[in-house]
Amino acid sequence: MFVAPDRVVTFATRTGDDIPRWLAMLKGVWLALASGYTGSTGIPMIDQLVTRGGMASMLNTIWLIITALAFGGVVEKAGVLDRLITPVIESAKSAGGGSSPLLVASVIGTNIVTADQYIAIVLPGRMFKSAFAKRGFAPVVLTRSVGASATPTSALVPWNSCGAYMAATLGVATFSYLPYAVFNIASPLLAIAIAYLGIRMPKASGSHGWCRCGPRALGIALRCSNGENDGNVETRGRIVSVENVVGRSRRARAAVAVLVLAAVALLPACQRAQEAPAPEIRPVRAITVGERSGGDSVALTGTVQAQTEVNLSFRVDGRMIERSVQVGDTVRAGQVIARLDPQNEESSLQAAKAQSSAAQARLVEARNNFARMKDLITDNSVSRAQYDQAEAMLRTAESGLETAQSQVTLAQNRLSYTTLVSEVAGVVTLAGPEPGEVVGAGRMIVQVAREGARDAVFDVPARVKDAAPANPRIQVTLTGDPKVTAAGTIREVAPRADPITGTFRVKVRLADPPAAMRLGSTVTGRMALARALAIEVPPSAVTRSDRQASVWVVDPKTGTVESRPIEIRSSDPNRVEVASGLKPGDVVVTAGVQALRPGQKVRLVEKRP
């Protein structure tokens, strides 16, 4: 409610209820308590932590508690436990034994029989109440003994309500976590040890008749003989020396303390000894790397592309009604590619022709009027101004006709632009809008790779680019069929590296490429480099994680492996040339690399130089 209130509101209103925010908060808490909550943070660990079933998921445990209480009530009412425990108590009295071990055993037995810790607390406590009172112990001793043995051991019984709840909550069987429940096992043992040692065993206020010198924690009823200080103690008809009793008591206490502490200390130690697995030593094959004469050639993978690609587009905008080619189709020069709806352009052409006809009529009228004025001016029948005006009208009509004819020509051109015709021959590599779409002028309709020259395009690392000789000859082979080859020369090198990969785009012009090197084919280019010493490893030794190549290197002193990142200069199916990351003398694993982990011990099956 305080950390993520929006999640509570969303959880409460997931059914579409439109309620106030405060009511949604209350409803969300109530629903989570009743039916539980399922986390959806996107983090599996947090989702598993906050996902719970609420009270509804605890009904099985609640029914188990109710059933156990009912069963325990029937057992107590029928006097079954009383008949079982009373003879044990009487035999303990007659034998002079202690009550605390019997109480602990009775509590554990009740936990097993009645399957509920509450019954295991109430019934044995009530049955042993009189026994502890007769021995003069305060009620807190009985309460402490019952609590130390009932509650901890209830979680160790699979059919007990506490054991069932713990197993369901932890998702682990009771007997699986039992060896790790050190406190649950040690608690009843410590209760017995405390009783034997007499540690913090207070007496009831009415027990002044009991002797203070005897080992009362053992539950032995000792009385001083008539209050006389003669050094003897009377116990059930026998006269025992106080010194002997105290000595035996001290030795018994020390022995029990040593046994209990040893049992508690050895319990987890034995468990750890059983769980400690023997270190796994994995057999591997390895080689000792060294510098060899390498760098004679480098091989890179690229693709075949057309040297020139043309984007065909309309010169006017409109709605496209037809496109006659698709990706992969071969086109020829002059072939119709697509058409636009010509209705608007046809209307514009008709309007331009009408204006041209009107301009033609005005020109004829102006010519006739000028011819009349020319005859009249010779007879001085009209003024010079009227003559000049008629001449100007003629010039205006001629200009208007030229303008109208230009508009007709422009309208005719725009009408022809509604048909897209290819000016080059080649293959369609990319298609744009589909028929029915409204396209603008200049928008790419199709992309055509022009026939003729082809390039092999490679992404070259900076190290290889810097090591390349001047004007190198490139041998290009088809990756799928190495028999198909072509020679090439570098035509273009990108001046800027790719911001993501850090490589430079290099275009190699292919001389007379065979027909099998189609556009888009994968090719391998090989280029000779200056000879230099280099470290080579088999391709099987290289692993990749997050685009980082690495190898497993064996430490000869400890026999363990570590993952070491490397930088690859070049590679082919038979070898990998390492630019950095290894030094001569390193032992590199070549077989079994997928099953290794850092620090794992290995055994070299075969080590080659």
Side-chain angles (χ1 to χ4, degrees):
M1 293 179 63
F2 302 102
V3 179
D6 294 335
R7 286 188 175 271
V8 179
V9 174
T10 303
F11 175 69
T13 58
R14 66 185 189 276
T15 57
D17 298 338
D18 186 11
I19 56 178
R21 184 178 179 85
W22 66 270
L23 186 57
M25 296 281 288
L26 181 61
K27 179 182 177 182
V29 174
W30 182 262
L31 289 176
L33 291 175
S35 58
Y37 174 76
T38 302
S40 58
T41 62
I43 304 175
M45 183 178 296
I46 296 180
D47 291 342
Q48 183 179 3
L49 181 64
V50 302
T51 299
R52 287 294 181 268
M55 292 295 295
S57 64
M58 300 176 62
L59 289 179
N60 292 334
T61 305
I62 293 174
W63 282 116
L64 180 60
I65 294 174
I66 294 175
T67 304
L69 289 174
F71 174 72
V74 173
V75 170
E76 181 187 13
K77 192 66 175 177
V80 176
L81 290 179
D82 185 57
R83 292 179 177 272
L84 293 175
I85 296 177
T86 301
V88 177
I89 298 176
E90 294 300 330
S91 63
K93 291 180 181 178
S94 61
S99 300
S100 294
L102 292 176
L103 173 61
V104 173
S106 301
V107 170
I108 297 175
T110 308
N111 256 331
I112 296 174
V113 174
T114 62
D116 188 77
Q117 65 164 330
Y118 303 109
I119 301 177
I121 293 174
V122 175
L123 293 185
R126 293 175 58 182
M127 293 178 181
F128 279 84
K129 178 180 179 182
S130 59
F132 274 70
K134 289 179 181 180
R135 284 158 174 77
F137 294 128
V140 68
V141 178
L142 176 62
T143 304
R144 184 179 62 198
S145 300
V146 173
S149 54
T151 304
T153 58
S154 63
L156 304 180
V157 181
W159 53 87
N160 193 287
S161 58
C162 293
Y165 174 78
M166 294 291 289
T169 303
L170 298 176
V172 180
T174 306
F175 289 134
S176 297
Y177 68 74
L178 187 146
Y180 303 95
V182 179
F183 169 77
N184 302 69
I185 299 174
S187 181
L189 298 178
L190 292 176
I192 298 174
I194 290 173
Y196 270 107
L197 297 175
I199 301 174
R200 298 186 63 84
M201 301 288 287
K203 295 297 183 176
S205 58
S207 60
H208 298 293
W210 297 97
C211 180
R212 298 182 178 273
C213 61
R216 297 181 180 180
L218 297 176
I220 301 176
L222 303 179
R223 291 184 179 273
C224 294
S225 58
N226 300 324
E228 298 180 359
N229 189 10
D230 57 358
N232 293 332
V233 176
E234 179 185 21
T235 171
R236 300 191 182 276
R238 292 187 301 162
I239 304 300
V240 183
S241 172
V242 173
E243 289 79 3
N244 294 337
V245 172
V246 173
R248 288 196 299 269
S249 172
R250 290 177 179 174
R251 288 193 296 270
R253 293 177 183 180
V256 171
V258 172
L259 290 176
V260 171
L261 293 178
V264 173
L266 291 177
L267 179 63
C270 294
Q271 184 64 26
R272 286 195 298 270
Q274 293 176 356
E275 291 182 353
E280 180 185 6
I281 301 179
R282 184 173 295 277
V284 296
R285 296 181 185 273
I287 62 171
T288 302
V289 299
E291 289 185 338
R292 300 182 181 181
S293 178
D296 53 343
S297 66
V298 62
L300 296 174
T301 302
T303 58
V304 177
Q305 297 181 7
Q307 196 172 97
T308 305
E309 291 181 340
V310 180
N311 291 334
L312 302 182
S313 58
F314 289 104
R315 300 174 66 175
V316 294
D317 53 3
R319 185 174 65 90
M320 188 169 65
I321 60 175
E322 178 187 354
R323 193 186 69 195
S324 58
V325 295
Q326 301 293 335
V327 175
D329 292 348
T330 301
V331 298
R332 62 182 184 279
Q335 179 179 345
V336 176
I337 303 299
R339 299 180 188 274
L340 294 178
D341 186 0
Q343 183 176 356
N344 294 338
E345 306 305 329
E346 289 176 350
S347 299
S348 299
L349 179 58
Q350 292 178 0
K353 289 182 178 181
Q355 292 178 359
S356 178
S357 299
Q360 182 69 36
R362 287 193 295 271
L363 177 59
V364 171
E365 180 182 4
R367 283 177 178 173
N368 294 336
N369 187 27
F370 179 73
R372 288 194 297 271
M373 289 297 178
K374 189 175 182 180
D375 294 337
L376 293 176
I377 194 63
T378 55
D379 299 337
N380 293 323
S381 299
V382 293
S383 64
R384 188 67 185 182
Q386 290 176 332
Y387 174 79
D388 293 340
Q389 184 179 5
E391 186 178 7
M393 292 294 293
L394 176 61
R395 300 292 181 265
T396 302
E398 290 175 349
S399 300
L401 179 60
E402 292 177 0
T403 302
Q405 290 176 346
S406 299
Q407 291 296 327
V408 171
T409 303
L410 181 60
Q412 290 175 345
N413 291 338
R414 291 181 63 86
L415 180 60
S416 65
Y417 294 157
T418 59
T419 301
L420 180 61
V421 179
S422 176
E423 299 177 355
V424 297
V427 179
V428 177
T429 58
L430 185 64
E434 299 293 331
E437 296 185 35
V438 177
V439 298
R443 182 179 177 183
M444 185 270 296
I445 304 300
V446 293
Q447 185 180 78
V448 178
R450 179 176 292 180
E451 289 182 349
R454 299 178 186 175
D455 289 340
V457 182
F458 303 93
D459 292 327
V460 180
R463 183 183 298 273
V464 177
K465 170 180 171 293
D466 297 338
N471 301 321
R473 297 290 297 178
I474 311 298
Q475 184 70 20
V476 180
T477 60
L478 194 63
T479 304
D481 187 2
K483 297 180 180 180
V484 180
T485 62
T489 57
I490 295 179
R491 183 179 67 86
E492 178 183 321
V493 178
R496 182 180 301 175
D498 186 273
I500 298 177
T501 62
T503 57
F504 292 83
R505 177 63 58 91
V506 176
K507 296 181 179 180
V508 177
R509 180 186 291 109
L510 298 177
D512 299 327
M517 287 189 179
R518 303 179 182 87
L519 296 177
S521 301
T522 302
V523 294
T524 301
R526 287 180 171 81
M527 178 181 64
L529 297 177
R531 299 185 62 84
L533 295 178
I535 295 178
E536 296 180 357
V537 296
S540 60
V542 181
T543 62
R544 295 183 181 272
S545 178
D546 296 333
R547 298 184 179 180
Q548 174 63 53
S550 60
V551 295
W552 291 100
V553 179
V554 181
D555 187 350
K557 296 181 180 179
T558 61
T560 59
V561 294
E562 65 171 346
S563 180
R564 185 177 300 177
I566 62 172
E567 182 179 352
I568 298 177
R569 175 179 297 168
S570 63
S571 64
D572 57 35
N574 299 320
R575 64 181 183 87
V576 175
E577 185 175 333
V578 180
S580 62
L582 292 177
K583 60 182 182 295
D586 286 339
V587 180
V588 178
V589 178
T590 59
V593 297
Q594 302 300 332
L596 297 179
R597 63 178 184 274
Q600 183 176 10
K601 285 187 172 294
V602 297
R603 177 171 55 87
L604 300 182
V605 176
E606 180 182 357
K607 181 179 177 182
R608 296 185 293 107

